[in-house]
Amino acid sequence: MLRFGHMALPGPLKRFFCSIANATTVLLNPTERVITIKNATNEDKKMHFPLAWLRDNCPCPVCYSASSELRNLKMMDFCPRVNAVSVQMSEQSESMTVSWDDGHSSSYRLEWLRAVAFGADTAGRQRPPLTRNRPVLWCDASKATAPICSLKRTTHYGETFEMRAEAKPRNLGYTSDRLDFHTDLPYMHEQPGVQALLCQVQASGPGGDSLFADGFSAAEHIRRSRPDLFRLLTTVPVRFRDRGQLADRRFDLVATHATIELDCQPDGEWCYRRVHFSNQQRDLLQAWPLADVQLIYDALKAFNDVIEGRDISSDSSKVQLQVKLRSGEMALFDNSRLLHSRTGFSGERQLAGAYLLWDEVLSRRRTLESQLQIGRQD
């Protein structure tokens, strides 16, 4: 029987190892907050796993939903500075188990780890996503390709959709649990700017409140208090993904955005353009440099703390709005700016939803103003 232990080494490096046929060695570096797996027969081939990333992508049923292929772990419950108490390889080196100082334990299949490992300098595991490429000028005849056109106005949920607690939920929205603050459809390149939620049946007991938070105000707080984290939130690309099946149609949607998208004005000034944030639909595959992963998680957590009102230096009353919709009432809001959430509930609750483009909304407004002869100066 093989035994696993831990060898005291000089400095902060701890080693958890096993001696088997393929001589797999596991190294935990608490200072750099990285676990490294290497094979003695190939010293150059090392797999690196940041602690925050591993805990965030725990595959257990509590943290991950196999039915929806999305993360269950909520950002409000996630600590990006979580530490590994111990690391062990299985007897046949088929899996690695990590015990965390938050009391949780995670087991990762070695086959899965090989597929998602970080390289020494960057997230080399990032496979080329089947998404829109960078624009190629038509005048460059040697590289020009057929233009990509998007005619789709509805989403994979259809023109409208209904949300209620389901036995096999496609995502956390179809449960009765409390939701993280998020923007909808970050896995799409062209997200609808306006969302409508009609309350058809409201939970009769406590809970089921709708929460909204101003992403631009939260971003401004981060900019003033932590400019280093603000830089990461506005420059680091975050990949989002949603895949599954609705009726007889399968879908696999992928898009990459900065968390906070800025817009440059003609006068050289900038303003906030859009927020892209959804912890559940943030993909486990990210093209993040290994050395930056911990700081990126710190930035995401800091933004979420402001949204949630957990940042003691911010005033949540200036960011959040909470309301319990009554049956027949509708919430209409800007999906590019406002993040929304929901408190947990019990019993029956059902909402109908739809998405609109700002172009359509503004066009309709101008048409109505003209029909009603409402004068405007602009």
Side-chain angles (χ1 to χ4, degrees):
M1 178 176 178
L2 297 173
R3 296 184 181 276
F4 310 97
H6 126 211
M7 178 185 297
L9 295 177
L13 189 65
K14 296 180 182 178
R15 172 174 296 179
F16 299 86
F17 67 98
C18 58
S19 178
I20 55 178
N22 57 4
T24 301
T25 303
V26 182
L27 304 172
L28 167 63
N29 190 324
T31 302
E32 296 184 2
R33 300 183 50 75
V34 171
I35 291 175
T36 299
I37 299 178
K38 65 178 182 179
N39 191 303
T41 60
N42 189 348
E43 286 288 331
D44 295 331
K45 193 170 184 179
K46 299 178 181 179
M47 299 184 292
H48 305 281
F49 304 94
L51 296 185
W53 182 89
L54 276 174
R55 181 64 186 90
D56 182 44
N57 292 289
C58 172
C60 82
V62 175
C63 301
Y64 175 77
S65 169
S67 62
S68 65
E69 300 185 70
L70 296 174
R71 184 179 291 105
N72 277 339
L73 179 63
K74 298 179 177 66
M75 180 59 82
M76 72 178 83
D77 301 325
F78 171 67
C79 174
R81 289 286 169 172
V82 65
N83 291 311
V85 177
S86 65
V87 183
Q88 290 184 326
M89 293 295 293
S90 67
E91 195 165 311
Q92 299 300 323
S93 250
E94 295 176 348
S95 64
M96 177 182 74
T97 300
V98 182
S99 296
W100 305 99
D101 65 358
D102 62 2
H104 195 71
S105 180
S106 306
S107 182
Y108 309 88
R109 292 183 298 105
L110 192 58
E111 180 183 6
W112 181 83
L113 291 172
R114 290 193 185 101
V116 300
F118 285 72
D121 300 317
T122 186
R125 70 192 190 293
Q126 171 84 56
R127 62 179 180 272
L130 293 175
T131 58
R132 300 196 323 185
N133 298 320
R134 291 186 177 182
V136 177
L137 300 180
W138 287 17
C139 59
D140 188 349
S142 63
K143 298 180 179 179
T145 57
I148 299 176
C149 299
S150 176
L151 301 178
K152 182 178 177 181
R153 289 306 182 204
T154 59
T155 70
H156 52 304
Y157 292 115
E159 291 186 355
T160 61
F161 58 91
E162 292 187 345
M163 297 188 67
R164 65 174 73 88
E166 298 177 348
K168 293 184 178 181
R170 67 196 73 170
N171 61 51
L172 283 180
Y174 294 85
T175 71
S176 58
D177 295 342
R178 205 274 200 196
L179 297 183
D180 265 341
F181 277 99
H182 63 282
T183 56
D184 269 20
L185 312 184
Y187 43 78
M188 300 183 75
H189 288 92
E190 305 295 336
Q191 298 136 285
V194 181
Q195 183 170 357
L197 289 176
L198 171 65
C199 180
Q200 296 175 313
V201 179
Q202 180 57 276
S204 57
D209 294 28
S210 297
L211 296 93
F212 303 93
D214 182 6
F216 292 176
S217 291
E220 182 63 13
H221 176 79
I222 295 292
R223 185 185 73 85
R224 295 178 180 179
S225 62
R226 291 295 304 272
D228 55 330
L229 299 184
F230 182 79
R231 180 186 62 80
L232 294 172
L233 292 172
T234 56
T235 59
V236 172
V238 179
R239 173 178 158 125
F240 298 93
R241 186 173 193 174
D242 190 22
R243 56 183 173 180
Q245 183 167 344
L246 291 172
D248 59 348
R249 180 172 176 266
R250 292 196 59 81
F251 60 89
D252 190 345
L253 296 164
V254 179
T256 301
H257 312 277
T259 302
I260 302 169
E261 188 176 339
L262 305 178
D263 198 3
C264 184
Q265 302 296 302
D267 59 4
E269 296 294 323
W270 62 267
C271 65
Y272 295 108
R273 183 174 185 270
R274 180 181 281 275
V275 174
H276 308 272
F277 195 80
S278 178
N279 192 58
Q280 270 61 56
Q281 292 155 336
R282 175 168 37 78
D283 196 13
L284 68 91
L285 297 177
Q286 301 290 341
W288 298 341
L290 178 62
D292 293 344
V293 171
Q294 183 61 61
L295 287 176
I296 294 171
Y297 272 106
D298 289 344
L300 293 173
K301 180 65 172 179
F303 182 72
N304 189 79
D305 283 349
V306 176
I307 292 294
E308 291 281 357
R310 295 187 174 190
D311 185 328
I312 59 174
S313 65
S314 65
D315 185 353
S316 62
S317 66
K318 296 181 179 179
V319 177
Q320 279 190 25
L321 172 67
Q322 182 169 346
V323 60
K324 185 167 185 176
L325 297 174
R326 292 174 295 187
S327 297
E329 290 185 331
M330 175 185 289
L332 196 67
F333 57 95
D334 185 350
N335 185 55
S336 61
R337 174 175 179 170
L338 297 186
L339 297 92
H340 62 285
S341 177
R342 177 196 68 209
T343 61
F345 64 93
S346 60
E348 184 181 4
R349 181 179 185 269
Q350 180 172 312
L351 272 66
Y355 300 105
L356 302 169
L357 299 177
W358 269 116
D359 288 333
E360 296 170 344
V361 173
L362 296 176
S363 172
R364 183 61 174 164
R365 176 177 174 174
R366 286 189 290 266
T367 300
L368 288 173
E369 288 175 344
S370 176
Q371 291 175 347
L372 298 174
Q373 297 182 346
I374 300 175
R376 287 180 57 86
Q377 298 300 317
D378 58 355

